Amino acid sequence: MSEKAHGTSEKPVQGNLKWNCSQDTADQICNFNRHYAEYAGYWDSTTFLKIMNAAQDTNGELMTFYDSVTGKPLFQAPVGRSWADFVAESRSHGWPSFRDEEVIWENVRCLPDGEAVSITGTHLGHNLPDGS
């Protein structure tokens, strides 16, 4: 992926990210990194699970995850599994984990080395198939 104005993207991540996520951490991982992610379990230090567990208890709807740079939708979950299964699988990996059917492919691509990126260059992680 070619370098752009702000690392691998044209601009930094948006301010005021959901779930009390660190803008500095997100910007480093999403725009200036090709091989790593936030430390395993970082998502447990955010308000994500508390807020989303409550929302799932209330309405059980699909949750959309957005590109932290552009705001484009990247994933919808859970699809083909329960919320509890999504959380359990994510915990086993150390961060939110998505299945192929949960990817919004018009906004995401997987590179030959397994790196997942948004179509605008945001690093999203790596495709680590687990047979699910």
Side-chain angles (χ1 to χ4, degrees), residues 54-91:
Q56 288 298 311
D57 288 344
T58 302
N59 60 31
E61 294 179 11
L62 285 177
M63 173 181 11
T64 302
F65 295 81
Y66 298 92
D67 187 320
S68 59
V69 175
T70 66
K72 289 183 178 183
L74 302 173
F75 308 100
Q76 282 195 314
V79 173
R81 59 181 167 166
S82 68
W83 172 250
D85 288 341
F86 170 79
V87 171
E89 290 173 27
S90 296
R91 279 194 191 283

Side-chain angles (χ1 to χ4, degrees), residues 26-99:
D27 197 47
Q28 181 62 39
I29 297 302
C30 294
N31 291 315
F32 296 97
N33 162 62
R34 301 305 304 274
H35 303 289
Y36 304 103
E38 68 279 4
Y39 63 86
Y42 170 77
W43 68 306
D44 279 324
S45 71
T46 70
T47 59
F48 171 75
L49 283 174
K50 180 179 179 182
I51 291 170
M52 296 316 301
N53 281 337
Q56 288 298 311
D57 288 344
T58 302
N59 60 31
E61 294 179 11
L62 285 177
M63 173 181 11
T64 302
F65 295 81
Y66 298 92
D67 187 320
S68 59
V69 175
T70 66
K72 289 183 178 183
L74 302 173
F75 308 100
Q76 282 195 314
V79 173
R81 59 181 167 166
S82 68
W83 172 250
D85 288 341
F86 170 79
V87 171
E89 290 173 27
S90 296
R91 279 194 191 283
S92 74
H93 291 123
W95 40 75
S97 183
F98 302 98
R99 293 181 177 177

Side-chain angles (χ1 to χ4, degrees), residues 96-111:
S97 183
F98 302 98
R99 293 181 177 177
D100 284 349
E101 60 269 22
E102 295 170 329
V103 179
I104 301 172
W105 288 108
E106 60 263 23
N107 296 328
V108 175
R109 63 184 178 155
C110 279
L111 304 181

